[in-house]
Each structure stands twice: as structure tokens, then as C-alpha cells.
Amino acid sequence: MRNIVLMGPPGAGKGTQAGDLASRYHIPHISTGDMFREAIKNKTPLGQKAEAIIARGDLVPDDVTVALVKERLSQPDCAEGYLLDGFPRTIPQAEALDEIGKAIGRAVNAVIDITVPEEILIDRIGGRRVCPKCGASYHVRNMKPKVEGKCDVCGSDLITRKDDNAESFKVRLDNYYRQTAPVSDFYKNKGLLHTFDGTGGKEKLQGVLFAFLDRLS
Ligand code: AMP
């Protein structure tokens, strides 16, 4: 069973790895960031609540985020496991996930923490371009799309995320150190934390993660 949490600061490569991991292990990729962006695009009440918070780099309140994940993890496609990307980001969220895991009989059994030094994160976020349609992520120098400005997967025009500007990034990184880094310790204390170096490029990290998760049963 693979009930996995993917952690790391903004720009660590969570989103880049998540799609391939989810397909290899036939588990849903659940990104709270993607869910919020979808809600914003569709102008739902959730989207309206979250839009300004996300644009400035702050965290959406725990009760809202937990309710979203609880509902998502109760869906039948999570019966064989799940890959959470960007959740939990606070200790109360991690505690809530413990409860949800117990309730659905699918407690987290591995936490992957991707570490990358701050100067590399700044460069990655500054050059990041994303596909608004399928969520694929690129970089203007390090991970170029085949055709400039177009998504390799679905051909849509790539955009810069609203929160990938210097100001919001600073807030996100700050929130990460203050609120999310303690979540690593929370899982370390449970013996679930596995730390991986995220500086070596997409393929290198993917190989290491596949090797680790292939062994996880
Ligand atoms: P991400 O795509 O994971 O970088 O998330 C984008 C933004 O969505 C974050 O900067 C937060 O504003 C919000 N967000 C995503 N996941 C969470 C979470 N677990 N808790 C609170 N806010 C979140």
C-alpha cells in the first residue's frame, strides 16, 4: 500500500515528480494547490475565498483545506493508496490527516521530503512556467518545453503562476520554514520521514524515488 505524502519547499520539484509517481503506482495525485487553482478558475465559493490568500503567498485556513482533503480521500479511487502533494503544510493539518487516515483505514505510510537550498529555489521559481490546463511544470532554462511557450503534454500556452513573483515567494518560503518544516519533524518522530536531495535534476531524483517506492509495500 502506498499512502504517500510529498513534502518540500516551493520549487523543490514536488509537482514535477508527482505525476510520474502517481502513474507508476496507479494512485491518484492529490495536489491541494491544483485543487485551489481549479476552484479559482471555476470561480467557485472555495476559489473566491482562496484567490487573494494564494496570490499573496499565504496559506489557506486549515479548516477549509482539511475539509477539501477529507472529501477527496474518501473517493473510491483512493482505495489503493494516494499521493498527497502540498498537504499537510501545518501541524494541525498533519494531525487531521492522522484522523482521516484512521477513519478511512489508509494511514500515511511514507513521507518523502525533498530538500533543496534556498538559492536554487529562488532561481527555479523565477524561471518556472506552468500549464494552466494540465498542471505540467517547466523552467525557461533548466526544463524547457519542446516548443517555446507551449505545454509538451497538451499544447496549451504556458503561463507564470500568479504567486511565482518575488514578494509572494518570500511569503511562501517564510510560511514553509515557520509552519511546514515542523511537519517534517512530526513525521520523523513517527519514523515515516524519508529525505531526498532535490538538487540533481528531474531524472536523477525520479530514479531514486522509484527505487524507494518500488520497495514500499
Ligand atoms: P502549491 O501549488 O502546492 O505551491 O500551492 C499553492 C498555494 O495554494 C499555496 O501557496 C497556498 O496558498 C495554497 N495551498 C496549497 N496547499 C495548501 C495547504 N495544504 N494548506 C494551506 N494552503 C495551501
Side-chain angles (χ1 to χ4, degrees), residues 32-33 36-37 54 58-60 65 86-87 89 93 161:
T32 39
F36 288 133
R37 280 184 287 275
I54 292 179
D58 270 326
L59 293 181
V60 177
T65 311
F87 181 95
R89 261 175 154 101
Q93 290 181 14
R161 261 170 60 166

Side-chain angles (χ1 to χ4, degrees), residues 35-54 60 64:
M35 289 162 90
F36 288 133
R37 280 184 287 275
E38 190 63 25
I40 292 169
K41 199 163 76 186
N42 295 331
K43 302 192 188 315
T44 67
L46 172 69
Q48 281 161 4
K49 203 181 239 176
E51 187 164 16
I53 300 175
I54 292 179
V60 177
V64 176

Side-chain angles (χ1 to χ4, degrees), residues 10-11 14 31-34 36-37 50 53-62 65-66 69 85-90 93 128 161 163-164 168 172 175:
K14 300 185 294 293
S31 156
T32 39
D34 284 349
F36 288 133
R37 280 184 287 275
I53 300 175
I54 292 179
R56 65 172 184 263
D58 270 326
L59 293 181
V60 177
D62 285 335
T65 311
V66 165
V69 171
D85 161 9
F87 181 95
R89 261 175 154 101
T90 64
Q93 290 181 14
R128 173 154 73 178
R161 261 170 60 166
D163 56 345
D164 277 352
S168 303
R172 285 156 70 202
N175 282 331

Side-chain angles (χ1 to χ4, degrees), residues 19 21 38 54 70 82 95 124 136 149 157 169 185 188-189:
L21 294 177
E38 190 63 25
I54 292 179
K70 186 173 180 182
Y82 51 80
E95 288 168 347
R124 285 189 184 175
D157 288 337
F169 176 69
D185 289 331
K188 195 174 183 179
N189 292 336

